[in-house]
Amino acid sequence: MNVLVINCGSSSLKYQVLDMKTESLMAKGLVERIGLDGSIITHEKAGAEEKFKLETPMANHTDAIGHVLEAITDKDHGVITSMDEIGAVGHRVVHAGEKYASSVLITPDVINALEECVDLAPLHNPPNLSGIDACKALMPNTPMVGVFDTAFHQTMPPESYIYAIPYEYYEKYGIRRYGFHGTSHKYVAERGAEILGQSIDKLKLITCHLGNGASVTAIKYGKSIDTSMGFTPLEGLVMGTRSGDIDPAIVTFMREKGNLKPGEANDILNKKSGVLGISGVSSDFRDLEKAAEEGNERAILALKVFAHKVRFYIGAYIAEMNGVDAIIFTAGVGENDMGMRDIICSNLHNLGIKLDLVKNRVRGKETVLSTDDSKVKILLVPTNEELMIARDTYKIVTKK
Ligand code: ADP
């Protein structure tokens, strides 16, 4: 069976077509500037030398998905001859609140439940739902599955997810920690266990998803027991442009001192903070490292603050799990930035964590990075959220 994976953002859409017999990628692509001037689709057939690009007006997600379906069935750069060859569609959905602890077949009831979660993820759930609507309109008979970023973390115990604010805020408004990047944490944990040749049910793992958005998860015997993102993806680590953990009193103080308008503090903490805010240089670690090499003090500081926070969570999760068998790095920074991995893992040998500096000289490839005598294994596992979504989708529609 072929599965179409759809990941809708507010003005962009990523897609992949996978053949689930072999779990191989057939085609992938990206639609950008949906609803804006200059809408464009970039489509790539697996193995093809050239990408197909088409700039054409796309007023909404239905238009965008229409172009995706045209691209994948095109006689030149397509990979199937008709839409009947797509057995199911897997949709990435960011927030499922407390409703779903795993992926589900999308039914009208599921759509209602996800609409109820819009308040919790106002930027993410509406475009995710538009993608589902658009697919339903264009391929009404194809089963669809929702795969949620929050689902994997639903196993967290209450002591991990309850904030110490009056309990009625949890009961009335659902204010609690949810956690995100669940699909990625789950994928790299499962893959990590396979690489180690051990059952995930017997392992204590710490997965570090370090990208533009970043989070760390404690996975005990296959289940997420704590994660650094919380009610929203703003909590936890220092990120590209997000502050991560701060004293909540800062928000009120900043509003008063800076005469901020409603929404402005939120904008500062989400878009102007993180390593960009500290350095004033960039949110991209490649730019920061270049600036640091040239002696830019604030770029050096931003990198140190970032690493400090990752180490802080690793330490906390070792305490929570009473040990760790493996630490797994993934996402843009985790997969590519050997210097950052080095700083994060340095001076942890008392905890049995030893990075092999030669093995660490690698990018984007599944590798064991620890020394042979390191008690704790350190792994690099490139994430593959789309494959995880396709697997769940295939499993649910074929009931395997
Ligand atoms: P997201 O999916 O959250 O947008 P990614 O996982 O794609 O983020 O990570 C993007 C980040 O990865 C970039 O902002 C950049 O900082 C970092 N990155 C990518 N390649 C490298 C590299 N070679 N060295 C250091 N950092 C890198």
Side-chain angles (χ1 to χ4, degrees):
M1 177 194 288
N2 301 325
V3 169
L4 171 64
V5 174
I6 298 279
N7 181 355
C8 269
S10 56
S11 67
S12 69
L13 180 167
K14 287 190 222 157
Y15 65 92
Q16 287 194 359
V17 184
L18 293 106
D19 172 358
M20 294 314 289
K21 218 184 291 160
T22 51
E23 291 198 336
S24 54
L25 178 71
M26 298 163 74
K28 66 175 179 180
L30 170 68
V31 185
E32 292 166 286
R33 302 187 60 79
I34 300 167
L36 304 168
D37 284 346
S39 308
I40 180 165
I41 175 168
T42 308
H43 172 88
E44 202 178 340
K45 182 174 169 174
E49 275 174 20
E50 277 188 25
K51 291 181 187 175
F52 163 78
K53 284 188 186 213
L54 174 69
E55 195 176 323
T56 178
M58 294 182 227
N60 50 42
H61 288 87
T62 310
D63 285 355
I65 290 183
H67 282 286
V68 170
L69 302 187
E70 270 174 31
I72 61 179
T73 52
D74 186 89
K75 66 177 182 5
D76 294 324
H77 47 260
V79 286
I80 51 175
T81 48
S82 99
M83 283 318 295
D84 298 342
E85 291 172 44
I86 295 289
V89 183
H91 289 271
R92 179 202 180 200
V93 179
V94 167
H95 219 307
E98 290 184 322
K99 289 263 162 51
Y100 302 112
S102 58
S103 306
V104 291
L105 191 68
I106 296 176
T107 61
D109 282 348
V110 171
I111 293 179
N112 288 341
L114 296 177
E115 274 164 0
E116 281 170 24
C117 294
V118 161
D119 263 1
L120 297 173
L123 299 179
H124 294 103
N125 271 29
N128 298 160
L129 283 160
S130 303
I132 294 173
D133 273 354
C135 281
K136 234 173 46 172
L138 296 169
M139 4 181 6
N141 300 319
T142 309
M144 296 196 284
V145 168
V147 180
F148 314 110
D149 274 31
T150 48
F152 182 56
H153 301 300
Q154 279 293 302
T155 46
M156 284 196 285
E159 60 269 31
S160 295
Y161 70 70
I162 288 292
Y163 288 113
I165 56 175
Y167 197 71
E168 62 257 32
Y169 284 92
Y170 166 56
E171 292 176 308
K172 258 198 204 156
Y173 305 114
I175 300 182
R176 51 157 282 180
R177 308 185 63 254
Y178 291 99
F180 298 88
H181 289 145
T183 312
S184 174
H185 287 293
K186 184 171 181 228
Y187 174 79
V188 299
E190 287 179 359
R191 201 52 215 129
E194 277 168 21
I195 294 168
L196 295 173
Q198 292 183 52
S199 160
I200 195 164
D201 302 338
K202 298 201 163 59
L203 289 170
K204 295 172 183 174
L205 303 170
I206 296 177
T207 48
C208 306
H209 178 110
L210 310 179
N212 231 329
S215 64
V216 182
T217 298
I219 302 173
K220 191 172 179 186
Y221 311 143
K223 294 198 164 73
S224 166
I225 62 148
D226 208 347
T227 190
S228 59
M229 283 179 169
F231 178 57
T232 72
L234 183 57
E235 190 180 340
L237 299 179
V238 170
M239 307 181 213
T241 62
R242 287 175 235 166
S243 65
D245 302 330
I246 57 165
D247 180 339
I250 294 172
V251 180
T252 342
F253 194 81
M254 243 169 43
R255 275 204 189 118
E256 281 165 15
K257 288 281 168 195
N259 270 330
L260 302 183
K261 294 189 208 84
E264 230 178 320
N266 200 34
D267 217 45
I268 292 172
L269 296 176
N270 275 291
K271 297 186 183 150
K272 297 178 183 164
S273 298
V275 290
L276 167 70
I278 299 172
S279 68
V281 172
S282 170
S283 62
D284 192 302
F285 281 66
R286 287 162 289 200
D287 301 337
L288 287 173
E289 271 149 22
K290 191 162 165 278
E293 271 166 33
E294 289 160 2
N296 183 313
E297 291 293 337
R298 274 171 49 194
I300 296 170
L301 179 63
L303 293 167
K304 281 188 179 164
V305 175
F306 178 86
H308 167 81
K309 207 64 196 207
V310 179
R311 287 164 64 85
F312 178 92
Y313 273 100
I314 289 176
Y317 291 164
I318 291 175
E320 268 196 78
M321 294 194 287
N322 187 21
V324 60
D325 297 302
I327 296 173
I328 303 175
F329 286 100
T330 195
V333 178
E335 291 170 26
N336 294 296
D337 194 336
M338 48 195 87
M340 184 48 71
R341 289 195 301 257
D342 185 4
I343 308 173
I344 291 168
C345 297
S346 71
N347 215 13
L348 293 177
H349 46 268
N350 263 347
L351 295 173
I353 300 167
K354 289 193 210 164
L355 185 75
D356 185 316
L357 295 180
V358 177
K359 290 185 196 157
N360 187 42
R361 275 193 227 135
V362 62
R363 279 211 176 107
K365 211 176 94 194
E366 286 186 353
T367 320
V368 177
L369 304 170
S370 41
T371 59
D372 293 342
D373 67 339
S374 179
K375 202 171 114 255
V376 176
K377 302 289 170 228
I378 306 170
L379 305 180
L380 190 175
V381 180
T383 194
N384 194 340
E385 288 160 283
E386 289 78 11
L387 176 58
M388 199 78 214
I389 294 171
R391 271 185 191 160
D392 274 11
T393 302
Y394 179 66
K395 235 189 276 170
I396 286 172
V397 300
T398 57
K399 298 199 175 60
K400 279 193 179 155

